Amino acid sequence: MKREDYEKNIEGFSLLNGTVAKPELISFIAQELSDDDDYIDRTRGISINILTGNVSSIKWDGGFKNPKIIHTGTNGFLITSEEGRAYETRDTPKVFPQYTLDQDEFRGSQRTEVSVECLRNIAGHIYACGTHHKLLKRIDKKRWVTLTDEQQHPILMEQMWARQKAYRETGVDDSLPTIAFLSFDGFSEQDLYACGGMGDLWHYNGERWLQLNPPVNSILNNLVCADDGYVYITSTWGDLIKGYYRNGTEHWELISHSVATMDVGFEDATWFKGRLYLSNSWGLFVLENNEVTRVDFSGLGHDAQFSFQHVTSGHGLLLSYGPNNAVLFDGETWTALINPHHLED
């Protein structure tokens, strides 16, 4: 990357979320670094064309609180914020083709309010999950339908409030992570899983929700429906679970490992070319034959990947990134994408 491009578009910002928007386009949402007590969430969208090397960015002085980003298929990406704002790109020749949606992206005619914790693209549709056991499907701009309506699925709310009451009575923190869907995924739109809270795991068959029974009572923060037919779930305490729910039967197993702990659990997970990749602030890891090992970046130099936290995949590429840098993997070769210690003058 050219030093001029880095200093103009990335320097002074921390990478929060990223996505492979297109086969040639990698996009990030980043937050400005500041020690100012009056600091507001200044955020910036950054896109890198890996074919041309072009780097572009757009900033929002008002900020995106708790931003999330997801590729929309073949035509770009969608950024959402906790307060309901959204920014979407469309398929045009420019790096940042844009239109800005109103601040009521999640507050349309149904007045659905949700603090988004996770975005997924399933069968060409964008889904979002978040607070209060919410799972939404986006059918058009500012048009979301809920799959967790309280009247249609009272068991979701009943279990949520029961959990919150139990947490309060036993002194457990009843804040957001314990009563929200933090992650979800699906093999199809009629075979969805969602998790969050302490051992809080659910399955949706397109008509009804069923509560499942994972073998842990920790906060479940990542869920991946993999091409091998299994569901993989991680927790903030470092648990790694593999299993499924089929034909009325569920089966779960804990995969032992030593790469994450109760102090540093897993933060992200993605399935890429037959393997599960996992990340936390310590590094990037891969699960193969039920064994978790650290990914070796020595071929790129000792500092090729020096900050870790997140991993995602799409369009035949794996993207591993931390607050300060990012690398790409096509299944054979690792390529440094952002590295402030190696810039071209």
Side-chain angles (χ1 to χ4, degrees):
M1 178 177 292
K2 295 180 180 179
R3 186 177 303 277
E4 179 183 3
D5 289 334
Y6 177 82
E7 293 176 348
K8 178 181 178 182
N9 298 287
I10 302 174
E11 189 174 34
F13 282 77
S14 175
L15 303 177
L16 297 181
N17 295 105
T19 187
V20 184
K22 299 180 183 181
E24 75 280 6
L25 191 67
I26 311 300
S27 300
F28 296 94
I29 184 77
Q31 186 173 33
E32 187 176 15
L33 300 171
S34 175
D35 296 325
D36 189 350
D37 292 337
D38 297 326
Y39 169 75
I40 60 175
D41 298 308
R42 299 185 185 95
T43 47
R44 173 173 291 184
I46 301 167
S47 277
I48 302 172
N49 189 309
I50 60 176
L51 296 181
T52 66
N54 184 39
V55 183
S56 182
S57 64
I58 186 170
K59 65 179 181 179
W60 300 275
D61 290 334
F64 268 55
K65 188 177 182 180
N66 191 25
K68 307 296 178 184
I69 185 170
I70 184 70
H71 66 87
T72 55
T74 60
N75 63 347
F77 60 87
L78 175 74
I79 297 172
T80 64
S81 72
E82 182 177 289
E83 64 272 26
R85 298 170 61 198
Y87 175 91
E88 184 179 10
T89 66
R90 291 293 187 183
D91 191 11
T92 73
K94 296 181 180 179
V95 173
F96 262 97
Q98 64 165 309
Y99 66 86
T100 302
L101 303 183
D102 295 336
Q103 292 194 20
D104 59 351
E105 172 72 8
F106 297 106
R107 301 185 176 98
S109 59
Q110 297 179 346
R111 303 295 295 176
T112 301
E113 299 188 14
V114 59
S115 174
V116 175
E117 293 297 321
C118 178
L119 293 170
R120 295 281 192 199
N121 188 320
I122 301 174
H125 289 104
I126 302 299
Y127 289 77
C129 76
T131 47
H132 299 103
H133 275 172
K134 295 293 186 182
L135 183 62
L136 307 173
K137 176 181 178 181
R138 191 177 194 243
I139 57 177
D140 201 351
K141 59 181 181 179
K142 293 200 289 185
R143 292 187 62 196
W144 296 76
V145 295
T146 178
L147 305 183
T148 53
D149 180 77
E150 185 173 357
Q151 300 301 318
Q152 296 180 8
H153 308 286
I155 186 175
L156 284 167
M157 294 298 106
E158 291 171 2
Q159 289 296 322
M160 185 190 72
W161 295 124
R163 280 175 175 268
Q164 189 176 52
K165 180 181 178 181
Y167 294 153
R168 288 175 175 173
E169 291 176 349
T170 56
V172 176
D173 183 10
D174 65 345
S175 60
L176 172 66
T178 59
I179 59 171
F181 280 155
L182 299 181
S183 185
F184 70 100
D185 203 355
F187 294 106
S188 72
E189 294 187 286
Q190 290 75 43
D191 191 9
L192 301 174
Y193 294 79
C195 70
M198 302 180 73
D200 197 17
L201 177 63
W202 295 78
H203 179 265
Y204 182 64
N205 66 0
E207 295 182 357
R208 68 183 183 92
W209 286 91
L210 176 68
Q211 190 169 22
L212 303 178
N213 299 286
V216 298
N217 195 36
S218 48
I219 295 176
L220 308 178
N221 63 338
N222 285 292
L223 189 152
V224 175
C225 290
D227 290 344
D228 64 355
Y230 285 97
V231 178
Y232 295 88
I233 306 166
T234 70
S235 82
T236 57
W237 289 358
D239 300 307
L240 177 56
I241 306 165
K242 174 183 179 180
Y244 58 82
Y245 171 77
R246 297 178 192 142
N247 302 318
T249 301
E250 60 179 308
H251 172 77
W252 306 101
E253 62 178 288
L254 272 171
I255 298 176
S256 61
H257 63 84
S258 59
V259 302
T261 67
M262 290 182 64
D263 295 324
V264 182
F266 293 113
E267 297 197 38
D268 253 345
T270 191
W271 185 261
F272 180 72
K273 295 194 174 182
R275 298 176 179 178
L276 183 74
Y277 287 83
L278 306 131
S279 65
N280 60 24
S281 57
W282 287 350
L284 179 67
F285 310 93
V286 61
L287 173 69
E288 191 171 18
N289 298 323
N290 269 18
E291 183 179 355
V292 182
T293 58
R294 182 185 295 270
V295 174
D296 182 12
F297 295 99
S298 59
L300 287 178
H302 71 281
D303 62 349
Q305 179 75 328
F306 58 87
S307 70
F308 301 88
Q309 198 163 6
H310 299 291
V311 64
T312 187
S313 60
H315 298 294
L317 292 171
L318 180 80
L319 172 64
S320 172
Y321 61 99
N324 307 112
N325 74 316
V327 297
L328 286 174
F329 184 50
D330 63 5
E332 295 183 2
T333 305
W334 289 96
T335 304
L337 183 67
I338 299 175
N339 188 337
H341 298 305
H342 292 280
L343 300 172
E344 300 176 8
D345 292 316

